[in-house]
Amino acid sequence: MKKLPLYIILILISAVMLYPLLWLVGASFKTNSEIFSSVWFMPDSFSFEAYRNGWQTVTPFTMGHYFLNTFKIIVPKMIFAVLSSVTVAYGFARFDFPLKKFFFALLIGSMLMPQIVTILPAYSMWQNFAGFNFLDTYIPLTVPALFACEGMFVFILVQFFKGVPKEFDEAAKIDGCGTVKTLIFVLAPCIRPAIISISVFTFLWTMNDFLTPLIFIQSVEKYPLSLALRLSVDSTGQGYEQNKIIAMSVIGLIPSITVFALAQKKFVNGITAGGLSG
Amino acid sequence: MNLKNKRLYNNPVGVSRFTGLLLITPFIIGFVIFTLYPFISSFINGLAAADGSFSLENYTRLFQDSSVRKAAGVTIRYAAVLVPLKLIVSLLTALLLNLEIKGIGIFRTAFYIPSILGANLSVVIMWQYLFTADGLVNQFLELIGLSPVSWYGEAGTALSIIILLRLWEFGSTMVIFLAALRDIPKDYYDAASIDGCGRIRSFFKITLPLLKNVIFVNLILQTISALQEFNAPYMITGGNPMKETYTIGMLIYEEMFTYWNYGYANAVSWVMFTAIALIVLFMYAVTRKLREDSQ
């Protein structure tokens, strides 16, 4: 019983952390007047009206369309991010080369570059890239991931590579594996938790990203989920049809929560073991 | 290859010293295109005046511009309140979650969830509803006998809506602390308790000194992200009331995409980058002695 006060504190903090989300889910089943009349999250009666309306959105497209758009950005981005960060991290972790320290410092330094500074020139760059206008396409959102643009990912992977004994590489060498084969068949399986973490991070961050699509995507047809949500808020206003907006928000959270729930164990291990403690 | 070179480039046999360089080529190309080029072109674009001529006018103007000054003040005030609070809350909860008691894993997940959803627009919209006049927060205040607050009405309370949102998302900072706490050998605490050292004392004498570098990393990461806050004020308060929650991030965005002051927006963003870099360097210098003592 000595631990009782401790549990009370933990439960109180959990309530602060989770109750707003629980309230959001409950509110999506409530009528508009009920949302702002009770602190209790449970609705008096469940109505799916808000979901039916919300799914239709205020645009000619349903939320399904915006989900599809979001995944058209997320899937290539995840593949690109994993391929490029693993390759670059392999180079840093396993090989010596001229100016290695300098490049690693650049990598860490680029993590500190605020997005708001690079995004304006990036806008003009994509507007006229070798004579082509890439604005309003998914290219500016996905292609940078091909170039290991998240320094954090490379950093986590380097820590993981260092945890794999060099004897593995040597054994692979004796068995006739070259540099690339060693990476694919020997080392990559060893660092799977880190690769999963990177994929999950890319998924969640892209789901959350608002500024980048806001700047690069103009036509409603190509909007990802976050922009479609904002459009609904803007066009319905604050004092009107709140439960519809709330239902849309709940739908918007489902992918992130599902992915987190599925990957939770491996994901959290990936970050904690990744030596972020450095 | 002579012996000296061989030692310098300690690669697997038969591998060129340029293999590593080849492998990191994507990063080098990406750095040039997506970091170096924007950084330089941002400065040059900042020189462009509205009439197409080039001068330092944008850079001199922004230092006298009262709206830039006000936004900078708001942004700094926001970061100065949020960052220390967030570090303290995440460190304290990490200490709690590091205890080995039954069911602690569930609490770890619960505390982490809000930061996973992070800047997700759904969460931002939810937060906006929580603080309306008859929203959940005010209803709760009435329930415990306090008077409701007009959250969006005043400068301080409007800014605190956004501070509370980001504070609520302390999970990512907490996880970094938690990883560091797990790396501290248990023997240290055992030895301390044999020597009659209490819990509070061993926190200050063992835990805190060993966490110095991690605290620094979190401080830098959180400061940078706080100084470029955009989503929350843009969606929740719209910068109101009276631009009291109007951050530099919002100002840059509006100058660029609402008023199309291309040169001016770039000038502000370039100066902002320089300011952030200076703040980081300043923090690095100030904490240097502190971090190196007792290592």
Side-chain angles (χ1 to χ4, degrees), chain A residues 163-180:
Chain A
V164 182
K166 285 221 168 156
E167 283 76 14
F168 282 39
D169 303 47
E170 282 154 22
K173 180 105 212 160
I174 293 165
D175 289 343
C177 285
T179 309
V180 177

Side-chain angles (χ1 to χ4, degrees), chain B residues 114-158:
Chain B
S115 74
I116 284 295
L117 305 175
N120 195 304
L121 213 65
S122 302
V123 170
V124 176
I125 292 168
M126 172 189 88
W127 212 255
Q128 188 179 18
Y129 282 129
L130 291 182
F131 289 88
T132 52
D134 48 3
L136 186 67
V137 174
N138 272 349
Q139 286 180 45
F140 182 76
L141 288 178
E142 280 181 90
L143 202 68
I144 57 171
L146 296 169
S147 53
V149 176
S150 158
W151 291 98
Y152 291 98
E154 274 165 59
T157 49

Side-chain angles (χ1 to χ4, degrees), chain A residues 126-179:
Chain A
W126 289 115
Q127 194 170 31
N128 182 8
F129 195 97
F132 294 98
N133 181 355
F134 286 106
L135 295 182
D136 209 26
T137 69
Y138 296 145
I139 305 261
L141 307 182
T142 50
V143 164
L146 260 181
F147 298 94
C149 60
E150 283 296 346
M152 175 80 93
F153 292 169
V154 178
F155 186 73
I156 293 176
L157 285 165
V158 167
Q159 305 302 314
F160 264 81
F161 271 121
K162 283 184 177 161
V164 182
K166 285 221 168 156
E167 283 76 14
F168 282 39
D169 303 47
E170 282 154 22
K173 180 105 212 160
I174 293 165
D175 289 343
C177 285
T179 309

